[in-house]
Amino acid sequence: RIGGVTARLVAAAVKPGGLIGGWDLVHQRPRNRVRTAAAGSVYFFERVRGDPRSLHGTTVSEERSEQGFGLAFVGGWPHV
């Protein structure tokens, strides 16, 4: 569940993720390293409740969203 949308993960097309860190300029110390999904990772969800289009172009990350991590782009595919 995120942003009023509930969905079930169906499949994922991902490469191995990595770790990101960096330097905290304000406190002059290293930032904690966190695991990330690889750029270009694609997750396929089946909508259960809510409108997933409301997430399009927004950030769904709890970590470093101000740096552009966790951007969501929503698309659809026809059911067969």
Side-chain angles (χ1 to χ4, degrees):
R1 296 180 51 174
I2 191 162
V5 177
T6 303
R8 182 177 68 84
L9 181 63
V10 176
V14 297
K15 297 178 196 175
L19 293 170
I20 59 167
W23 188 257
D24 185 331
L25 294 173
V26 173
H27 298 103
Q28 293 298 303
R29 63 179 181 217
R31 290 180 181 250
N32 291 332
R33 291 176 14 155
V34 293
R35 291 206 167 276
T36 64
S41 296
V42 179
Y43 298 89
F44 297 89
F45 291 92
E46 178 179 64
R47 182 182 63 86
V48 174
R49 192 172 295 121
D51 184 359
R53 293 175 295 181
S54 66
L55 299 175
H56 187 79
T58 65
T59 184
V60 295
S61 176
E62 295 175 0
E63 294 278 342
R64 302 188 185 176
S65 58
E66 71 282 356
Q67 295 175 339
F69 290 94
L71 287 175
F73 295 95
V74 178
W77 68 91
H79 287 95
V80 286

